[in-house]
Amino acid sequence: MECLAQLEALCERLYNSLDSTERAHAESTLKCFSVNTDYISQCQYILDNASTPYALLLASSSLLKQVTEHKLPLQLRLDIRNYIINYLATRGPDLEPFVVGSLIQLFCRVTKFGWLDDDRFREAVNELINFLSQSNPGVPLSHHRRIACSFRDQSLLQIFRISLTSLYQLKDDDGSKLQELALSLSLRCLSFDFMGTSFDESSDEFGTVQVPSSWRPVLEDPSTLQIFFDYYALNKTPLSKEALECLVRLASIRRSFFVNDATRLKFLAHLMTGTKEILQTGKGLIDHDNYHEYCRLLGRFKANYQLSDLVNMEGYRDWIRLTAEFTLKSLESWQWASGSLYYLLGLWSRLVTSVPYLKGDAPALLDEYVPKIVEGFVSSRLDSLQDEFSDDLSENLLDNVELLQDQLDCIPHLCRFQYERCSVYILTVMEPILQIYMEEARLQASADGSELSLVETKLAWIVHIVAAILKIKQFNSFRYGEISKQRLDHAILTFFQHFRKFYVVDQAADSSKQLYTRLSELLGLHDHLLVLNLIVGKIATNLKCYMVVTGEEIISHSLSLFFDMASGYMTGKLLLKLDTVKFIISHHSRDHFPFLGDYRCSRSRTTFYHTIGLLIFMEDSLLKFRTSMDPLFQVFVSLESTPEEMFRTDTVKYALIGLMRDLKGIAMAINSRKMYSFLFDWLYPAHMPLLLKGISHCSDIPEVTTPLLKFVAELVLNRSQRLIFDSSSPNGILLFREVSKLIVCYGSRVLALPNPVDIYASKYKGIWISFTILSRALTGNYVNFGVFELYGDRALADALDIALKMMLSIPLVDILAYRKLTVAYYALLEVLFNSHIVFILNLDTSTFMYIAGSLEVGLKALDTNIVSQCASAIDNLCTFYFNCITLGESPNSPAALNLARHIAEYPGLFPEILKTLFELVLFENCGNQWSLSRPILSLILVSEEMSTNLKAQILASQPVDQRQLLSMCFDKLMTDINQSLDSKNRDKFTQNLTRFKNEFRNK
């Protein structure tokens, strides 16, 4: 017991000590329990006798590691499994949660690993059912649902009636606790989950209330609605609030609940009368909770009833007038009502969007009130800015994109309803603000800049409002009344009459004579090119005037807009006619665009040069390309003349980083053979040595190597067949030789570096990019790789050798831990097994087995693409074995002899892979069965004995009474399959495998 006490003390230090030295000593001392199988019995002793939870956790976690990392005897695993489930049954309730969790994980792990080894492991479900029944865990969810449905059908209506009766009887008993309880009971009944959809009770939003038809006599009775209006009028919160909540739910009852339209409209009339009386008196609305619930109640009117229903109601005229006045007052009290305005604006938005579908002659009266609400919204937003600036600048709503979007969701529909009137109002509001802005801008040298900031924010608000309106430009005259499209476009332009002074303007997508007449009157713009030039001019101004520190978001949005404009074929052609664009294409240097000189903005450079590249390559002109590339040429010249000892200085590094990002953007814009030849001839051979120089001098600086390698990865990508050279051209071979030099240079240097703390950023990132470069180069179909061996050129061999060394330098667990590294690793393996399998087979056996083992691990990945790549690689390997060894086409070739030797030393390789493939097909919901069927057939044809043994193993793992039927399924698998791996035979096997899988699962 003394030793146990010492162990408990060590466990306490291991899990709780703040001293890293103490923790390290405890970990070292206790490590034997998890690595030495002789200590398994001691772990059981600790579980039986230890009194501290940390000692129990040590024993459990040690057993988990033992089970995971060691191939324990079958009987020992069964003993551990049985011991754990009995231990949980007897001591589980008294254990700490983290100990219980560890023990459950141990039970699951040992069960999983033994699932196919013994039938007793598959009894886990039945044993757990017995365990849970003894533990009395409660009622299953489905049973809960059945109970709830039975309760709803048999008792809930009766309870609701009791609550109503209590409310009638207690109506004069002001403020009593019984009143509160009765009202709360009514609310609970109306909030019942009638359909079992498990809605979010914490949310203000809910759909239609699906009250059963049996409730119809109660809810159609006018006294039911009236009692809740009465309780609202007679009481203060919380009773009045709960009364409104009940009314919100009653207003949300499904339309089909009512037996006919007359009954439904009578119910609506009662709701409208009750809400109108509240608006007339204003009673209770001074309370914020009441106010919020009342806004929700108004919002439900259009959510659950048609506009035609509303306008035909007696008293609609007064109701819509009072609702409009209430909305305007709420907008004026924006600080107090901000959280409730959403429901009011949503009501008006839904009303105006329903106007086109309004039938009959009854007036909706929206023309009178909607413009006032728009005006109230705009003025209240601008007034709110004044208070926000006086309190705290950091609370500016414009900084919160999501909240800003919520505020602007409904306004566009309201503005579109009375487009011209609203545009005139916004112009009226904007003009004095703009005048103040221009005056403040001239005086910005003054000490106090807060007034200028306030005016700028107000202008920004107006721009956001207008942008939200223009965002729903798709409309028709049916929806927004008989107003012509030209008049609407004129209204748009009116918004920007005076914005030309600082280049805020929106595209007006109409080429009609009337439109440009209006443009000429307002802005002096006579055609679409002038409009486009104004937009591009603003983009250029932003890029010239803003630095990253003060305008990173502005730079990003400006570049995004510029790229979108250049991406369109017709828009791009128009841009090339503009002097501003011509200037950008020929003067893209840091002298004209300061953000290019800021290292923090280096990522934006790629977008900038991608856009420039799109514009350059729209014209088939070598002269224009070379002229446009002159700023980059000057950077090349400067870097190439830099002395060796200066190459690691910050100035040189930043220049090289920027140049690589710029070139990547240019390369991304190329989609044709001719344009690619422009760039390749410009780079090779004059400038390629700089890339090698950068790698050799900065291989330990990932900030430099990452953009350089990514540029090369883009350069070798044969997108749209852009890298197809003439038959007499050596450019494909020359490009690969340069790529080989770069990869060998980087790989040899990065492998020699010590492993830092952040190994991914320092090593793994560059390595996976190198894998991507090599994969793209090997699959680009622009190099005949046989030439290299034929003429004794080591370029291919050296690239493959260094790639292999980089693969082996990374533990497989790390490869699987970093997703981008995983993707690049398996993509390269697929290429090697497909086109360069001789290189793989000539490796030593241990290396070959490591790579083949990693393919088996990859089959179990969650990514379908990786699984397919591994399946393809395995299929190529097995096809080579079948053709060269099984069929004896070339059994004495060096590669075939090497493969035979590898398999002879590790005969379990193919059976294990085949077992894994069958488990994926039979027991997983794989979406790439076609890919998996290919290697399965190859493996079956490689060795019939191997497939027979696997069949017996799978059948042995199934219930005895099912084995004969399942055996017949296996027999059908090879129906009409011959000893061939041609396409027809493979497709037939894929069909058989699909039927086999379905029948196997069904039986």
Side-chain angles (χ1 to χ4, degrees), residues 292-304:
H292 181 75
E293 288 301 324
Y294 185 76
C295 290
R296 291 181 66 199
L297 177 58
L298 289 178
R300 297 308 298 177
F301 270 80
K302 185 55 193 74
N304 217 37

Side-chain angles (χ1 to χ4, degrees), residues 171-314:
K171 186 176 178 180
D172 297 327
D173 192 4
D174 294 342
S176 72
K177 184 65 175 178
L178 288 176
Q179 273 189 336
E180 182 179 343
L181 292 173
L183 196 56
S184 178
L185 181 59
S186 295
L187 178 59
R188 294 294 182 89
C189 291
L190 292 171
S191 302
F192 187 80
D193 186 8
F194 293 100
M195 296 297 292
T197 53
S198 301
F199 56 82
D200 183 6
E201 296 180 358
S202 65
S203 173
D204 276 354
E205 296 296 334
F206 56 89
T208 304
V209 176
Q210 302 288 339
V211 180
S213 300
S214 58
W215 290 45
R216 188 176 290 129
V218 177
L219 296 184
E220 288 182 352
D221 185 344
S223 63
T224 301
L225 264 180
Q226 190 59 45
I227 191 63
F228 295 112
F229 279 115
D230 291 344
Y231 264 78
Y232 172 76
L234 295 173
N235 292 277
K236 299 180 180 180
T237 53
L239 268 66
S240 55
K241 173 181 176 291
E242 288 195 338
L244 285 175
E245 286 188 80
C246 292
L247 288 168
V248 170
R249 281 153 179 78
L250 290 172
S252 305
I253 293 174
R254 58 189 172 93
R255 290 173 60 88
S256 59
F257 172 81
F258 300 97
V259 68
N260 52 46
D261 287 344
T263 307
R264 178 172 52 81
L265 294 178
K266 182 180 179 181
F267 188 84
L268 172 60
H270 198 157
L271 277 173
M272 184 175 286
T273 301
T275 53
K276 184 175 67 173
E277 290 176 356
I278 294 175
L279 288 172
Q280 288 172 333
T281 63
K283 183 175 178 61
L285 295 180
I286 194 65
D287 182 90
H288 191 275
D289 289 337
N290 286 346
Y291 173 86
H292 181 75
E293 288 301 324
Y294 185 76
C295 290
R296 291 181 66 199
L297 177 58
L298 289 178
R300 297 308 298 177
F301 270 80
K302 185 55 193 74
N304 217 37
Y305 293 93
Q306 296 178 0
L307 180 58
S308 57
D309 294 335
L310 298 174
V311 299
N312 288 309
M313 286 289 105
E314 183 180 353

Side-chain angles (χ1 to χ4, degrees), residues 231 260 277 457 535 640 721 744 791 797 889 919 952 968:
Y231 264 78
N260 52 46
E277 290 176 356
T457 306
I535 298 172
E640 288 164 350
Q721 298 298 300
V744 171
Y791 292 100
E889 291 182 359
E919 288 175 353
M968 294 172 62

Side-chain angles (χ1 to χ4, degrees), residues 207 381 653 751:
R381 294 303 89 191
K653 286 191 300 182
L751 291 175

Side-chain angles (χ1 to χ4, degrees), residues 935-988:
I936 290 177
L937 177 60
S938 303
L939 284 164
I940 290 175
L941 296 183
V942 161
S943 172
E944 184 177 348
E945 180 185 359
M946 176 175 61
S947 60
T948 302
N949 292 338
L950 179 61
K951 170 186 172 182
Q953 186 177 354
I954 293 177
L955 290 177
S957 67
Q958 302 302 311
V960 177
D961 58 340
Q962 295 291 323
R963 291 177 184 175
Q964 184 176 357
L965 294 174
L966 296 176
S967 178
M968 294 172 62
C969 294
F970 269 101
D971 294 339
K972 294 178 184 178
L973 183 60
M974 299 302 292
T975 302
D976 298 329
I977 303 298
N978 53 47
Q979 293 290 313
S980 169
L981 288 175
D982 57 50
S983 298
K984 184 177 180 181
N985 204 45
R986 287 179 181 273
D987 291 341
K988 179 62 179 176

Side-chain angles (χ1 to χ4, degrees), residues 540-585:
T541 300
N542 288 347
L543 298 180
K544 287 180 180 180
C545 298
Y546 286 96
M547 295 292 288
V548 177
V549 176
T550 57
E552 181 177 2
E553 189 174 0
I554 294 175
I555 292 173
S556 176
H557 286 307
S558 299
L559 289 173
S560 178
L561 175 59
F562 193 25
F563 175 77
D564 289 342
M565 295 172 70
S567 298
Y569 179 77
M570 292 304 299
T571 313
K573 287 289 188 181
L574 291 175
L575 288 176
L576 291 174
K577 298 179 181 180
L578 304 179
D579 292 338
T580 304
V581 172
K582 293 176 182 177
F583 178 86
I584 293 174
I585 291 176

